[in-house]
Amino acid sequence: MGSLSDRTATIVGAGIGGLTAALALARRGARVTVLERAPALTEVGAGLQLSANSVRVLDALGLGASLDAVTLRTAAVQLNDQQGRRVLRMDLLAHRSQVRFVLIHRASLVSLLAEAAAAAGVDLRFGQDLDSVPDVPLVVAADGVKSRLRPLLAGREVPFFTGQTAWRAVIPAKPDSAPEAHVFMGPGRHIVSYPLAGGLRNIVAVEERRDWQDEGWSHPGDPDQLRAAFAGFGGPVPGWLAAIGQVHLWGLFRHEVATRWHDGRLVLLGDAAHPTLPFLAQGAGMAIEDAWVLAACLDDDADQGVALSRYQSLRQPRTRRIVAAANANARNYHLGGAKRLLGHAALRLADRAAPGLMPGRFDWLYDYDPVADLAG
Ligand SMILES: Cc1cc2nc3c(=O)[nH]c(=O)nc-3n(C[C@H](O)[C@H](O)[C@H](O)COP(=O)(O)OP(=O)(O)OC[C@H]3O[C@@H](n4cnc5c(N)ncnc54)[C@H](O)[C@@H]3O)c2cc1C
């Protein structure tokens, strides 16, 4: 590392992708400026699951110890039916003990990345609302799902409303909460919940609705409406919902992965390139992987256009596959009637045959190691 010392990069957006890219480029010697629209680092109160593929990158960037201090290590992911009965359990600690899956508050991840970037010499500037490409040699568009820079490369895109609305809330967690992510699946709706460090519990509840909400994160919702929509759920769900004082909701939209990621000077990264539905918990993970691969490609090839083409060719197929898998989960979680009975029976059978084992069908996702892959 360190061979980018003659290069400068300007990154638009100080979200998870932009900050990881800033750190990855600065660690390789580049002079990096990040331009962020918000007046200060303000992250919404919500949790994130990070899987091994993205944790490997954060470790390689030297964040392992600080990550451990603000995360819970995910012990298991369990799918349950609406009544709270186990359908399938994946014991991560038992079966993937050598790698880390973690649960983290978004604000903790953003401040950890921002502090590391600042310590690595990155110039972070706030209150910079960009709508055109700055006149510098390399611009990374990490300006999120509503990217203003993406249409300059990939044309204007009309996202498609999925008919699903998501609610998000954080409640106090019981002190003995197991560090497990649980999904409760009912017809036309599901809930995902997991605890976070600091005595909190994250809740995301997705409901099929004909009316739609804007794609933003921060529209206030009515907790009573949420409780009514999930009144038929059992297990721990009623207790969690009763504890919700404040909830936000937003519409879930499907987007195409961008067809063109760069023009030799401007390059897309994170949600700006591949917004995804949250049903595989990989949006932030993909942005973190992008950041490592982009920095490594630029480091490997002095010709910036060649490096950016390699970045696109490495990232586009993988992000397309992940986005498609998240779309498929959206359908599978909400099955109704006979399809649901059959689907759950098949998963229960697999669970009984190999209790706690991670189904191998996601090895391609979690076993990917961008650090080893781009080692040179
Ligand atoms: C409910 C929900 C749950 C999720 N759960 C998970 C999960 O468990 N695991 C996971 O990996 N992912 C998850 N994600 C996805 C993840 O949050 C996103 O994919 C990730 O934040 C994308 O990072 P980004 O840096 O590309 O964009 P963002 O984090 O959105 O950052 C974009 C930044 O750009 C700034 N910006 C925008 N426009 C401009 C402009 N014109 N000029 C300057 N700055 C600008 C914004 O202010 C913002 O700071 C979830 C998403 C949702 C909605």
Side-chain angles (χ1 to χ4, degrees), residues 95-115:
H95 295 290
R96 289 195 173 227
S97 56
Q98 68 288 19
V99 295
R100 277 168 27 257
F101 288 63
V102 301
L103 307 169
I104 187 167
H105 198 290
R106 293 177 66 93
S108 303
L109 180 58
V110 165
S111 43
L112 194 145
L113 288 167
E115 276 162 30

Side-chain angles (χ1 to χ4, degrees), residues 39-78:
L41 279 185
T42 45
E43 253 302 325
V44 291
L48 279 177
Q49 303 181 66
L50 293 180
S51 50
N53 44 309
S54 51
V55 171
R56 286 184 187 104
V57 170
L58 299 175
D59 280 343
L61 289 172
L63 300 177
S66 29
L67 199 63
D68 286 343
V70 294
T71 52
L72 298 178
R73 190 162 171 194
T74 320
V77 177
Q78 184 165 315

